[in-house]
Amino acid sequence: MTALPAPLEAFLTEVGRFFVMLARTLAWTPRRPWDARELVRQMVRVGVDSLPVVLLTALFTGMVFALQTFSTLRRFGAEGFVGSLVALSMVRELSPVISSLLIAGRCGSAMGAEIGTMRVTEQIDALEALATDPVHFLVVPRVWATVLTLPLLIVVGDVIGIAGGYLISVVYFGANPVTYVENTFRYMDLDDLTSGLIKAAVFGLIVAVVGCQKGYHTRGGAEGVGRATTRAVVLASIAILIADFFLTKILF
Amino acid sequence: MPAAPEPPVKIRLREVTKGFAGRIVLDGLDFEVREGESVVVLGGSGTGKSVLLKHMIGLLRPDGGTVEVDGRDLATLAGPELTAFRRRFGMAFQEGALFDSMSVWDNVAFPLLRAGWPKAKRAERVAECLEMVHLEGAGRKMPAELSGGMRRRVGFARAIALEPRILLFDEPNTGLDPVIKAVIDELILELQDKLQSTAVTITHDLTSAFRIADRIALLFRGRIVAYAPPEEFRALPDARVQQFIRGLASGPLTE
């Protein structure tokens, strides 16, 4: 085997493992037994448990965005567009990306740590020895739970973010509430919403597959688990930002 | 005296080689386990006994050579097929390897659940298995609340729940008190007797080795260097065997 430069080899290994894990997840998905209870349990962990963080972040993102755009656009006398700008940016870009980054930190890391601990304590081996595929049992419910739940979180984030923008524009800057709400929805299509949701689903897939994959390939005890956890968050975050660029290019 | 017909080979390893990060652990190892026999593999710490055991169930793949179980080359199995093939195995791990998100009861019930047993039958069998390892009443406990020895016993109960035809035990009784040790040994013998199961046990414990083994093997430098029924094994002139049996600090094993 000819040697590749170490960083390149590490990068290619990571990419390869991601797609192998994705392929195994898809291959095992239709197989029985289906564990609906585990799927719901994971959806609760990703969705319900993350709701407060997502709400808080979305609210402040919407507020900051309104703050920035209002004072800028006022210089051109264009503050009437703030509503549209906040709404479109939230729905298409900010809510999916920021919430997904949060979920990467919150759930991707948890998946890495959990599965990584199971790896170093031989629990993954035990699953296999008990005629249970670890990808089927552990990864499939986590991936689907994240893919299904993240778009729901993002819808809530959209609403709260827009509300945050409204709060700043109307209450703080004193914009006309009726025109503001009108402007919010004037330029928005269903496509804007769905593209944000598609992004969210893809980001959810990235977070869960990266988290599970890092956990699955953990080596070296407690330290290894720590490393896997950190790497899961870093890699998923980078992958989200890269995927966001390409998705935006394709979807708009 | 005419020799009794040898039972068929259940597990066969041929010229198995395995290394980790440049360190060779198994070095062209040949090994056979015959159906219905209880085989004990002895060997010093870090000689690759667990690695050997994990090859038998396909948890590790050899770098070279073949592993056959029931005449099937494990290298030809993958994915769902390999998963299904493993139903014939029961394996107990060194530290128990219990699922720490589940109670003791759920751990033992796990293989039954996956095999689709109905609830009532499952409950009956779990209770039976826990009783066998003297842990009746510990069902509600979580693995983190158990001592190392208890965890190992739960792992043992989980491994035997489905009465598998091949039992693999990775140090089942290390660190247990003598009474429980004897209980585990009895269980291994009883299972074998009742199910005609094939058992491969890894241990450094000579007492239990001589108690449960139909054959004893010694693993040294990545190969099986001695393999014989207990009495013959004890009398082997091989210096490595004698050093291990007598527990001597100096000799060919430690050179």
Side-chain angles (χ1 to χ4, degrees):
Chain A
M1 210 162 50
T2 49
L4 290 168
L8 182 63
E9 193 189 323
F11 173 74
L12 291 178
T13 308
E14 227 48 82
V15 174
R17 281 177 173 175
F18 175 86
F19 284 106
V20 169
M21 185 55 83
L22 181 61
R24 284 179 72 181
T25 306
L26 296 178
W28 276 101
T29 298
R31 289 189 176 269
R32 286 171 188 280
W34 295 332
D35 200 343
R37 202 192 300 177
E38 178 65 12
L39 181 70
V40 171
R41 204 173 72 90
Q42 294 297 337
M43 286 179 79
V44 169
R45 284 178 66 179
V46 177
V48 180
D49 297 352
S50 307
L51 199 55
V53 214
V54 169
L55 291 186
L56 207 64
T57 320
L59 179 69
F60 277 91
T61 308
M63 279 167 38
V64 168
F65 202 66
L67 214 52
Q68 291 277 14
T69 47
F70 206 101
S71 51
T72 309
L73 290 183
R74 192 156 50 180
R75 296 178 202 171
F76 312 105
E79 60 264 51
F81 290 110
V82 170
S84 328
L85 207 55
V86 169
L88 285 176
S89 313
M90 272 321 279
V91 168
R92 283 160 50 153
E93 190 64 42
L94 292 173
S95 181
V97 172
I98 293 182
S99 303
S100 301
L101 290 175
L102 278 174
I103 298 297
R106 217 185 159 278
C107 303
S109 59
M111 292 174 194
E114 214 176 349
I115 296 178
T117 305
M118 291 187 73
R119 167 61 77 191
V120 300
T121 55
E122 290 191 314
Q123 291 179 57
I124 302 274
D125 284 342
L127 274 178
E128 289 195 60
L130 292 165
T132 300
D133 188 273
V135 172
H136 190 204
F137 187 70
L138 298 170
V139 182
V140 169
R142 281 170 174 76
V143 168
W144 289 113
T146 320
V147 170
L148 294 173
T149 314
L150 206 49
L152 298 179
L153 277 177
I154 265 86
V155 172
V156 183
D158 289 346
V159 173
I160 298 296
I162 290 170
Y166 175 90
L167 212 65
I168 289 300
S169 306
V170 173
V171 179
Y172 182 71
F173 286 113
N176 183 320
V178 178
T179 40
Y180 186 88
V181 172
E182 232 175 56
N183 276 329
T184 295
F185 297 107
R186 180 181 289 167
Y187 300 106
M188 201 179 343
D189 288 333
L190 192 60
D191 281 354
D192 295 315
L193 187 67
T194 48
S195 71
L197 296 185
I198 292 170
K199 276 185 178 182
V202 174
F203 297 161
L205 186 82
I206 291 173
V207 167
V209 173
V210 170
C212 293
Q213 179 262 317
K214 290 313 291 177
Y216 189 80
H217 290 107
T218 300
R219 291 277 173 281
E223 204 190 321
V225 175
R227 216 165 27 229
T229 310
T230 320
R231 300 280 292 155
V233 179
V234 174
L235 280 174
S237 304
I238 294 171
I240 284 171
L241 294 174
I242 294 174
D244 184 45
F245 173 80
F246 288 105
L247 283 174
T248 308
K249 212 156 173 334
I250 294 164
L251 292 170
F252 296 109
Chain B
M1 193 178 78
E6 293 261 316
V9 173
K10 192 82 173 164
I11 304 169
R12 173 180 282 138
L13 286 85
R14 271 203 207 108
E15 293 182 20
V16 168
T17 308
K18 180 73 178 178
F20 295 100
R23 197 176 68 92
I24 290 174
V25 177
L26 302 181
D27 187 12
L29 176 138
D30 289 300
F31 193 41
E32 279 179 6
V33 179
R34 295 193 173 273
E35 188 163 344
E37 286 193 345
S38 167
V39 168
V40 168
V41 180
L42 297 173
S45 306
T47 48
K49 301 191 298 293
S50 297
V51 172
L52 170 63
L53 209 59
K54 284 184 180 173
H55 273 85
M56 293 180 182
I57 190 174
L59 287 175
L60 290 174
R61 303 267 185 172
D63 296 338
T66 56
V67 181
E68 275 173 29
V69 176
D70 288 331
R72 284 292 301 264
D73 182 351
L74 291 189
T76 64
L77 293 168
E81 241 189 332
L82 178 63
T83 301
F85 190 80
R86 287 191 175 123
R87 288 214 185 92
R88 61 193 77 192
F89 289 93
M91 180 165 182
F93 289 82
Q94 236 173 76
E95 307 292 336
L98 302 183
F99 304 129
D100 46 24
S101 60
M102 302 180 195
S103 68
V104 165
W105 184 277
D106 289 339
N107 262 283
V108 181
F110 185 86
L112 307 171
L113 189 71
R114 298 294 288 182
W117 284 37
K119 200 171 176 188
K121 222 174 129 201
R122 223 157 58 208
E124 199 179 309
R125 179 66 185 155
V126 173
E128 204 175 284
C129 288
L130 286 177
E131 202 187 308
M132 276 196 264
V133 294
H134 297 246
L135 283 173
E136 54 277 74
R140 281 163 175 269
K141 290 208 166 129
M142 296 304 282
E145 301 170 60
L146 304 179
S147 71
M150 284 165 93
R151 243 176 275 156
R152 220 178 283 247
R153 278 142 69 196
V154 177
F156 189 91
R158 188 178 65 182
I160 63 173
L162 277 174
E163 306 197 325
R165 306 306 310 274
I166 305 172
L167 297 159
L168 306 177
F169 299 124
D170 196 351
E171 313 226 3
N173 49 20
T174 307
L176 300 183
D177 69 69
V179 176
I180 293 293
K181 219 179 243 189
V183 167
I184 297 282
D185 289 349
E186 284 294 316
L187 276 172
I188 294 175
L189 288 175
E190 197 184 298
L191 280 170
Q192 246 208 301
D193 202 46
K194 192 170 137 202
L195 309 167
Q196 303 298 306
S197 295
T198 310
V200 182
T201 309
I202 276 170
T203 187
H204 336 263
D205 190 290
L206 288 171
T207 325
S208 73
F210 283 105
R211 195 152 47 193
I212 63 175
D214 294 317
R215 275 174 215 271
I216 298 179
L218 179 67
L219 181 65
F220 178 62
R221 293 208 177 137
R223 291 176 190 226
I224 300 292
V225 294
Y227 191 30
E231 287 321 306
E232 271 177 52
F233 187 85
R234 203 193 288 274
L236 284 177
D238 190 307
R240 295 167 293 196
V241 172
Q242 290 307 319
Q243 188 195 351
F244 199 90
I245 290 178
R246 294 187 193 151
L248 302 176
S250 62
L253 294 179
T254 38
E255 259 164 29

